[in-house]
């Protein structure tokens, strides 16, 4: 299946509805092969991230909720969501239609991607223009973009910075290596500040701090209630 087709198919959001909490629990059934230091249930990772943020930023409840839901797109790995292969769901993301930056993980394998030999796609700006904004850039498909679509299309009330975090948290070439900044808009620059804060918790929360799920559940249910009870939908497969 082509990347574009996958995005179109899953972008329909037209099959099943489920609550955010149900989705968190469903995620426990999937394993992310790209995540070598994550040997705990996914719900622990979600809550560890959210709780660590909550401790340091007690007033930013939108960021707590972002921590809880940022990886829910990984349900694409689950058989009930079509069981997409790992390469289509997890791992770093990167722009298409312009040069593959050397900071992208396993960069050497782009040699086998015909885009790297295309006279337009292999240039710095490619099909884009300087400062066009990441909104206008096609990013490789994965759990980030899927969850972003689900949140946006369901009319979430989360702020733009939350959607930015959800959409680009696997875009390591940007937020870790500083690549592709020339494509960013002024809004992107502002939102990137929050993504950099978030990323510390996404990584360092993967410690052995155990979370009492039942104890914190009421708090997160109250946050979920604020944005939507049916944020996560099963997609057309
Ligand atoms: Fe993720
Ligand atoms: Fe994560």
């Amino acid at each position: 299946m082509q990347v574009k087709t996958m995005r179109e198919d899953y972008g329909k959001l037209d099959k099943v509805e489920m609550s955010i909490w149900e989705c968190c629990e469903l995620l426990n059934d999937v394993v992310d092969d790209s995540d070598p230091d994550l040997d705990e249930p996914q719900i622990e990772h979600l809550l560890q991230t959210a709780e660590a943020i909550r401790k340091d930023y007690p007033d930013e409840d939108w960021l707590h909720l972002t921590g809880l839901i940022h990886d829910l797109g990984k349900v694409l790995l689950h058989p009930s969501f079509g069981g997409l292969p790992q390469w289509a769901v997890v791992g770093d993301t990167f722009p298409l239609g312009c040069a593959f930056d050397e900071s992208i993980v396993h960069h050497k394998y782009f040699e086998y991607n015909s885009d790297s030999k295309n006279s337009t796609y292999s240039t710095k700006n490619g099909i884009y223009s300087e400062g066009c904004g990441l909104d206008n850039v096609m990013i490789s498909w994965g759990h980030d973009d899927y969850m972003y679509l689900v949140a946006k299309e369901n009319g979430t009330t989360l702020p733009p910075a939350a959607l930015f975090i959800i959409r680009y948290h696997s875009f390591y070439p940007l937020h870790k290596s500083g690549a592709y900044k020339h494509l960013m808009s002024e809004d992107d620059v502002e939102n990137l500040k929050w993504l950099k804060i978030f990323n510390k918790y996404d990584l360092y929360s993967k410690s052995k701090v155990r979370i009492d799920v039942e104890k914190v559940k009421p708090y997160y249910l109250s946050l979920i209630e604020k944005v939507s009870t049916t944020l996560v939908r099963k997609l057309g497969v």
Side-chain angles (χ1 to χ4, degrees), residues 47-48 119 173:
L47 287 169
Q48 281 170 352
S119 59

Side-chain angles (χ1 to χ4, degrees), residues 32 35 38 42 45-46 49 67 70-72 74 143 169-170 172 198-199 201-203 205-206:
D32 174 356
D35 211 347
L38 187 62
Q42 293 276 338
H45 167 57
L46 299 176
T49 307
H70 76 283
D71 272 340
L72 291 187
K74 288 183 185 176
H143 68 284
H169 72 271
S170 299
Y172 279 85
F198 174 85
N199 186 245
Y201 297 93
D202 192 13
L203 293 177
S205 67
K206 290 174 185 174

